[in-house]
Amino acid sequence: MRAMRTYFALALSDVRSQMQHRASFVLQTIGNFVASLMDALGIAALFASFGALQGWSLYEVAVLYGIVNLSFALAEALGRGFGEFARVIREGNFDRLLLRPRATLFQVLASRLEVSRLGRLLQGAGMLALGLAGLPEPLHLWQGLLLAVCVLGGVLLFLGLLLLQASACFWTLESLEVFNILTYGGIQAAAYPLDIYKKWLRDFFLYIVPLGSLNYLPSAVLFGKDLPFPVWSAYLAPLAGAAFLALGILAWRAGVRRYRSSGS
Amino acid sequence: MQEIIRAEDLRVRFIVRKRRASLFAPREKAVVEALRGVSFSVNAGEIVGYLGPNGAGKSTTVKCLSGILTPTSGTATVFSRVPWQERVAHVRKIGVVFGQRTQLWWDLPVQDSFDLLCDIYDLDKRAYAQTCRELVECMDIGDLLRTPVRQLSLGQRMRCDLVASLLHRPRILFLDEPTIGLDAVSKLSLRAFIRDLNREQGVTVLLTTHDMDDVEALCRRVLLIGRGRLLLDGSLDDLRRLAGGKRVCRAQVRKADFPLPPGAALRSRRGEEAEIEFDPETLAADQLVLHLARTAGLRDVQIQPPSLDETMAALYRQMGEVEG
């Protein structure tokens, strides 16, 4: 309760300071919307000429796309503080967080709430709705719930990625751009059914950075595709997001421990 | 007297990685001993000046005592807690101000920063409002509360930062160069505020500074640190004695040229004004004055201890010679 109250107090104050630069906020939101819209148009153009992709229809792919983009937009809005953490370290402002009686992870999380990610969020939600509306049979309630859990799992996974990226700063002092390959590259890759990729890439997104476990796997089950997995695995898959976040938290702890014994 | 800070044999060793000489050269590591066994204790209600040249280990000590940094070995307790082991409980009880760095939110009005701290420290709303009112009045920052922090002058920001560090009513205040870069008026008001805080509310203060006027105005006790070791724990007079106990004689003399007795040295001469440094151990003050009266045409004379700045400069030079 106390943590929630403090979270909102901190996050809303960040929103207020974003609103001080209103023009920049509006432009960023539009930019965020347009940038992700381009991806969506790309998919639409692809289907206009090929009709289907390895047995997946446009609507089914829109669901894949929607889940992963919605997840990423939410995670980026919530976890922007981790995305910008390199600056906190470089400017020596991490000490200031250590001087306050709250967990550092909580303080960094609460430090930013990036409203301009609304652009991608609307776009992702729109595509998801479009995809679901275009399915031949409407989903059951439990199927809808599964998708909601998948979005949540995706948020946790992307937060885990952002957290890993931020934790690396304790060692490198710089933001490792290689993580952008995983996030932005991951979004691009996971917007399509993983069947279209080579085995190693498919395995990468199923087991290493388990983005595919959060949209492809459950969707394939819901849409009755052939899968080399038992059906129940689709229901466990969203846990992969939580596991990935746990990994991020462990890395963060190790990073803070390192920082506090080296002072830089 | 109740002891509230105790540091025992604090040692901090950093490993600094140097940049590679070339792409394939092995990366060199250098070990920096920031603290090499520092021990001291502070009683409740003291204001202690923590002095030393740049890189001596002052900030490192403050970081250990405020729970940010875990020392390589040694221990410390503040309110019977080991700061780095119970960081969250510890920082609730202390106030910290870094002169070079603000604790406030850059883009927010000052009042909003205070309110956020109230949430972060989970303070009782009514008690917070009361404390805030008192401090704002005391530091005279009522007019600044609606101003975003980034628009404040350094002196204004410092006053706000000091208020921010006291909202949770800590019993210990760590001040790291609080008057750096401030104009004379701000310095004086800051000093008066710190002195009152100590006298009226008994807040214990550990003050790190390079400004010897701060020290003279506030501290009865000083700790001198150099190259990670504690060199002195005593009064300002002890500090002067350690520096060699020299005196400065400012004399108005008519003659342009005159001999000086052993134990005295001319430091500067501007018109009739001569500044002579002498060591009272080898040359008594009356002997010097007599000598000047006989040989230099003495008109007026003033004898003073050297300023603290001069004392510190002499000490730092000695430290360089001893250890360098």
Side-chain angles (χ1 to χ4, degrees):
Chain A
M1 249 345 270
R2 186 178 75 118
M4 281 306 269
R5 209 179 54 221
T6 312
Y7 176 82
F8 281 112
L10 282 166
L12 291 180
S13 75
D14 176 54
V15 174
R16 266 202 302 283
S17 41
Q18 288 168 46
M19 293 306 158
Q20 283 184 6
H21 314 280
R22 197 150 310 177
S24 145
F25 162 73
V26 171
L27 286 176
Q28 272 194 44
T29 310
I30 294 174
N32 199 252
F33 184 86
V34 172
S36 49
L37 187 66
M38 288 302 162
D39 294 344
L41 290 178
I43 293 177
L46 196 74
F47 276 88
S49 42
F50 294 106
L53 198 60
Q54 299 264 344
W56 288 66
S57 73
L58 171 62
Y59 294 109
E60 289 167 342
V61 171
V63 170
L64 294 182
Y65 175 95
I67 292 175
V68 76
N69 274 279
L70 197 55
S71 298
F72 184 62
L74 282 168
E76 238 202 342
L78 291 171
R80 187 76 189 141
F82 297 110
E84 291 178 349
F85 186 66
R87 218 178 60 207
V88 174
I89 285 284
R90 237 179 341 198
E91 292 174 3
N93 285 329
F94 192 64
D95 284 355
R96 148 182 140 141
L97 302 186
L98 287 169
L99 288 173
R100 293 182 183 148
R102 292 297 176 117
T104 51
L105 191 71
F106 170 79
Q107 292 187 64
V108 177
L109 183 74
S111 69
R112 298 295 316 267
L113 181 59
E114 183 68 33
V115 196
S116 70
R117 294 306 180 266
L118 214 61
R120 188 190 287 274
L121 193 137
L122 288 174
Q123 225 275 123
M127 283 291 274
L128 185 59
L130 207 71
L132 291 177
L135 292 178
E137 287 176 56
L139 293 184
H140 291 293
L141 181 63
W142 59 270
Q143 289 174 318
L145 273 176
L146 176 61
L147 287 185
V149 172
C150 287
V151 171
L152 186 69
V155 174
L156 300 185
L157 187 146
F158 281 118
L159 278 176
L161 269 178
L162 285 169
L163 201 47
L164 280 179
Q165 182 172 15
S167 305
C169 300
F170 286 114
W171 283 270
T172 62
L173 305 185
E174 286 163 55
S175 182
L176 291 183
E177 298 304 324
V178 65
F179 280 94
N180 290 341
I181 302 177
L182 297 181
T183 48
Y184 289 96
I187 298 169
Q188 296 278 345
Y192 298 95
L194 292 185
D195 314 70
I196 66 171
Y197 302 116
K198 287 228 155 52
K199 184 173 171 1
W200 66 269
L201 194 60
R202 195 163 56 217
D203 287 348
F204 181 82
F205 283 115
L206 279 176
Y207 305 116
I208 314 250
V209 179
L211 265 175
S213 303
L214 292 158
N215 66 347
Y216 164 73
L217 205 54
S219 306
V221 170
L222 290 185
F223 305 150
K225 309 285 178 199
D226 282 337
L227 263 187
F229 302 100
V231 169
W232 55 262
S233 66
Y235 296 90
L236 289 184
L239 285 177
F244 210 78
L245 180 62
L247 197 69
I249 293 173
L250 287 179
W252 179 264
R253 291 216 173 137
V256 173
R257 215 163 26 244
R258 184 197 141 88
Y259 179 92
R260 293 182 64 196
S261 59
S262 69
S264 58
Chain B
M1 275 289 205
Q2 193 202 351
E3 178 186 277
I4 56 173
I5 301 178
R6 171 187 272 290
E8 274 171 85
D9 199 28
L10 278 184
R11 286 166 197 274
V12 174
R13 197 177 298 126
F14 298 125
I15 293 170
V16 183
R17 286 192 188 77
K18 291 181 180 163
R19 197 181 278 274
R20 281 170 215 269
S22 72
L23 190 59
F24 300 106
R27 194 176 244 194
E28 277 180 59
K29 287 182 182 176
V31 176
V32 177
E33 307 241 17
L35 291 181
R36 315 179 190 208
V38 168
S39 307
F40 62 88
S41 67
V42 176
N43 289 326
E46 282 192 282
I47 300 189
V48 178
Y50 198 50
L51 314 177
N54 291 325
K58 300 189 298 288
S59 298
T60 307
T61 314
V62 173
K63 280 183 178 179
C64 288
L65 293 178
S66 53
I68 295 177
L69 187 65
T70 309
T72 314
S73 70
T75 186
T77 48
V78 178
F79 294 121
S80 347
R81 252 193 214 106
V82 179
W84 52 89
Q85 283 173 4
E86 297 175 68
R87 179 185 71 80
V88 170
H90 172 70
V91 295
R92 209 178 270 289
K93 297 283 175 204
I94 61 165
V96 184
V97 176
F98 290 115
Q100 317 248 38
R101 183 161 289 164
T102 183
Q103 296 288 312
L104 305 168
W105 281 259
W106 202 241
D107 280 322
L108 295 183
V110 176
Q111 182 69 57
D112 291 17
S113 277
F114 291 170
D115 292 347
L116 283 178
L117 286 170
C118 169
D119 276 315
I120 289 177
Y121 282 88
D122 199 27
L123 304 175
D124 175 67
K125 283 279 185 309
R126 189 134 17 109
Y128 158 73
Q130 170 77 15
T131 312
C132 195
R133 208 164 34 242
E134 282 170 26
L135 289 170
V136 164
E137 193 182 328
C138 230
M139 275 268 84
D140 192 23
I141 55 168
D143 296 338
L144 307 176
L145 293 176
R146 305 259 43 102
T147 314
V149 174
R150 66 181 133 83
Q151 288 172 15
L152 299 178
S153 74
L154 192 58
Q156 292 171 332
R157 205 209 74 205
M158 208 52 232
R159 283 186 291 169
C160 295
D161 251 312
L162 201 56
V163 169
S165 72
L166 293 168
L167 290 171
H168 56 294
R169 295 197 161 268
R171 303 299 300 154
I172 298 183
L173 194 55
F174 294 103
L175 297 173
D176 194 8
E177 306 205 28
T179 56
I180 197 164
L182 300 193
D183 62 47
V185 178
S186 303
K187 272 187 191 176
L188 289 176
S189 79
L190 216 63
R191 280 181 205 140
F193 179 80
I194 295 167
R195 196 169 46 229
D196 290 348
L197 194 73
N198 172 261
R199 277 196 196 145
E200 286 160 24
Q201 301 183 32
V203 173
T204 309
V205 180
L206 187 69
L207 169 71
T208 304
T209 184
H210 284 300
D211 187 326
M212 287 303 133
D213 293 337
D214 286 351
V215 177
E216 194 122 53
L218 294 170
C219 310
R220 252 189 253 146
R221 179 180 165 207
V222 290
L223 301 170
L224 174 69
I225 186 175
R227 305 203 182 194
R229 285 202 181 85
L230 199 62
L231 303 175
L232 174 88
D233 178 352
S235 65
L236 290 177
D237 281 337
D238 293 334
L239 195 68
R240 292 196 177 96
R241 254 193 299 281
L242 184 69
K246 294 264 171 67
R247 294 280 187 281
V248 176
C249 168
R250 290 197 173 79
Q252 295 242 330
V253 290
R254 272 187 296 266
K255 287 202 181 156
D257 219 15
F258 54 91
L260 279 172
L266 186 68
R267 278 211 318 210
S268 72
R269 175 79 196 246
R270 214 178 276 134
E272 292 202 335
E273 185 100 13
E275 219 176 69
I276 299 154
E277 190 181 71
F278 68 102
D279 182 355
E281 297 277 313
T282 56
L283 177 66
D286 59 336
Q287 291 298 313
L288 176 65
V289 175
L290 267 174
H291 178 92
L292 290 176
R294 271 202 299 266
T295 61
L298 188 64
R299 257 218 270 258
D300 190 12
V301 69
Q302 255 186 326
I303 294 182
Q304 299 163 331
S307 72
L308 265 182
D309 272 326
E310 288 165 330
T311 305
M312 292 310 285
L315 271 175
Y316 292 170
R317 273 197 299 275
Q318 283 177 19
M319 282 150 76
E321 277 160 25
V322 173
E323 298 210 29

